[in-house]
Amino acid sequence: MSDHRSLPRISTSLVVKAVLAIYWSRLGSLNALEMTHSAKFWKTWLDGPLCSADSLGRIVASVDAATVRQGLHHVYERLKRNKALPDLHGLAVAVLDGQETSASYRRCCAGCLKRRMANGQTQFYHRNVTLMLLCASPPSRPAVRLLLDLEPQRAGEGELTTAVRLLERVLAAYPRAFDVLLADALYAAAPFLNFLWSHGKAALVVLKDERRDAYQDAGGLWAQQPPQLGSYDARRCRWWDIPDLRSWPEVHGGTRVVRSEESWTVQRQLSKQASPQTASWVWLTTLSVAQARTEQVVRLAHLRWDIENQGFNELVNGWHAGHVYRHQSGAIECFLLLAFLAYNLFHAFFALNLKPALRRGRTMAFWVRLIAAEIHALPRLVFPHAPP
Ligand SMILES: [Zn+2]
């Protein structure tokens, strides 16, 4: 990785390695980092002394984001070559999602989006669209998920525009990384589905808008069709699968609507009584029946929700990736991309590098504490005078 400074005194690699360690140990702020600055760990991990919090923020702001993206690609390539990223149900799957990372009334930068709040004040915030690769588990290993790339949403544009800009870059860099893209109801839009179709990729999105012709048309058809019976986890399901729906002619390649009515019971903790639950889903996909049977579509579509608490949310809540280490659009983007790199390396290490015997019975949180402990270990705690 490189940055835009001329005659740098501190190397880019030192700064990058320090930032990765901040995420791995979940330090959460640059000031927390400064407190650990005499730890022995830094002398062995970095090829020089740890720089100040201020220098670190300033240097990350000048890092060339394209070179961080190359770093992410390098990790992907290595894992792919080592067969650590198997397909899911016979398909290579990615998830696209838009997230807000930070909001403030006081601080803003050139990359900030603005909105008027109910209290009349203007709030500044940042939003990104993120792409994550989902994989199956290699034999006797946990599955690895990789955050591949992000694109900041610009002022005045909708999320779909940002998403297309992201995908154009991702499809050029990772032409074969995924076959099908999962996304929420916002992405059930003809231009977006057609964009994917023109690149030979399928979409699987939530179909929510009841006004949409496709929804109403499918509704008419499933009223006449007996459901397929199936199951998802412990849920009993009734599925309707309507291929070749012609009611949305703007979408190239034909659309298919899958509906799943699911029922299961939950044991109430207090009353010990079984309480019945139901859920109803409708998805739109451009996957053909030959590419994915009804059951596969349902399993893939549920993944979209199963990863809600992992991936980006895990980064923001557990890794403090939403923290604004330096409020400047280039810095925010680079810190997040470095958080992606830290996330990918950590999960690959946990799933693939740790021997199963060592991993067994120890949660991911255990390894995080172990890393943090090393960073917080001082060479020698010196108390100048013992109390009398
Ligand atoms: Zn900003």
Side-chain angles (χ1 to χ4, degrees):
M1 290 176 204
S2 58
D3 62 61
H4 302 296
R5 290 170 299 158
S6 53
L7 303 173
R9 204 170 43 83
I10 302 163
S11 75
T12 321
S13 75
L14 184 142
V15 169
V16 166
K17 286 169 84 174
V19 173
L20 292 176
I22 292 175
Y23 288 120
W24 287 327
S25 57
R26 318 289 206 262
L27 276 172
S29 78
L30 295 181
N31 290 329
L33 174 77
E34 274 199 341
M35 285 182 224
T36 70
H37 123 285
S38 53
K40 213 171 125 200
F41 166 81
W42 296 116
K43 290 182 185 66
T44 39
W45 176 241
L46 307 172
D47 305 323
L50 180 65
C51 58
S52 71
D54 193 57
S55 304
L56 203 111
R58 186 170 40 79
I59 296 167
V60 172
S62 73
V63 165
D64 182 357
T67 63
V68 188
R69 290 192 168 94
Q70 280 166 14
L72 285 161
H73 190 274
H74 178 73
V75 172
Y76 161 82
E77 224 172 33
R78 283 281 295 273
L79 291 171
K80 189 77 190 164
R81 213 180 312 141
N82 292 339
K83 312 230 180 303
L85 310 173
D87 286 352
L88 258 168
H89 313 297
L91 290 164
V93 183
V95 182
L96 194 67
D97 208 2
Q99 295 99 2
E100 190 173 315
T101 49
S102 56
S104 165
Y105 286 110
R106 289 179 295 126
R107 286 163 190 256
C108 75
C109 71
C112 263
L113 305 174
K114 286 180 220 168
R115 67 183 154 217
R116 205 83 171 138
M117 303 303 283
N119 60 9
Q121 278 186 286
T122 301
Q123 195 181 47
F124 305 100
Y125 65 104
H126 284 254
R127 275 194 110 245
N128 298 286
V129 179
T130 303
L131 189 90
M132 185 185 216
L133 201 65
L134 304 181
C135 303
S137 315
S140 72
R141 300 273 177 187
V144 177
R145 298 188 173 94
L146 293 184
L147 286 157
L148 288 191
D149 200 355
L150 70 88
E151 178 64 25
Q153 194 169 331
R154 296 177 190 164
E157 76 180 7
E159 185 177 320
L160 287 179
T161 310
T162 318
V164 167
R165 197 166 54 245
L166 169 68
L167 286 172
E168 274 167 347
R169 185 173 56 236
V170 168
L171 288 165
Y174 302 83
R176 278 179 297 278
F178 66 92
D179 310 307
V180 57
L181 192 62
L182 314 181
D184 63 24
L186 175 77
Y187 291 86
F192 182 76
L193 300 174
N194 291 342
F195 169 82
L196 284 176
W197 186 81
S198 69
H199 286 87
K201 307 294 177 192
L204 173 52
V205 297
V206 176
L207 189 63
K208 244 187 197 162
D209 189 350
E210 305 206 8
R211 288 163 304 175
R212 246 182 241 294
D213 293 349
Y215 195 105
Q216 291 183 346
D217 228 39
L221 288 168
W222 68 55
Q224 302 160 18
Q225 210 184 66
Q228 304 176 42
L229 300 180
S231 63
Y232 168 73
D233 279 356
R235 302 178 177 193
R236 290 181 308 279
C237 304
R238 298 194 303 153
W239 295 325
W240 289 263
D241 191 341
I242 321 278
D244 295 322
L245 211 62
R246 298 280 167 215
S247 48
W248 205 359
E250 308 93 86
V251 178
H252 304 319
T255 52
R256 172 178 172 200
V257 170
V258 174
R259 175 184 168 206
S260 181
E261 296 287 330
E262 304 170 2
S263 56
W264 69 101
T265 51
V266 171
Q267 197 84 21
R268 291 271 166 239
Q269 223 160 21
L270 281 178
S271 62
K272 302 274 179 236
Q273 275 182 345
S275 138
Q277 310 280 315
T278 58
S280 174
W281 294 99
V282 180
W283 299 288
L284 180 107
T285 184
T286 50
L287 281 167
S288 68
V289 178
Q291 279 175 300
R293 288 171 289 109
T294 315
E295 187 181 347
Q296 274 171 295
V297 171
V298 172
R299 284 184 196 289
L300 289 174
H302 270 287
L303 274 178
R304 165 75 190 80
W305 303 106
D306 292 348
I307 66 142
E308 278 284 292
N309 296 319
Q310 292 155 351
F312 202 83
N313 288 351
E314 179 189 334
L315 265 190
V316 170
N317 301 324
W319 296 60
H320 308 291
H323 177 78
V324 179
Y325 292 92
R326 190 180 183 90
H327 198 146
Q328 202 245 9
S329 55
I332 290 175
E333 186 175 354
C334 282
F335 268 110
L336 269 176
L337 286 167
L338 289 169
F340 283 17
L341 187 63
Y343 177 96
N344 295 348
L345 287 172
F346 178 81
H347 281 274
F349 163 77
F350 181 78
L352 307 164
N353 196 284
L354 278 180
K355 300 253 181 309
L358 205 54
R359 196 175 38 208
R360 201 173 302 127
R362 294 188 177 95
T363 60
M364 224 175 251
F366 170 85
W367 299 101
V368 172
R369 288 194 197 107
L370 199 64
I371 294 171
E374 201 168 340
I375 284 178
H376 284 99
L378 298 177
R380 191 153 40 106
L381 275 173
V382 181
F383 296 106
H385 300 289

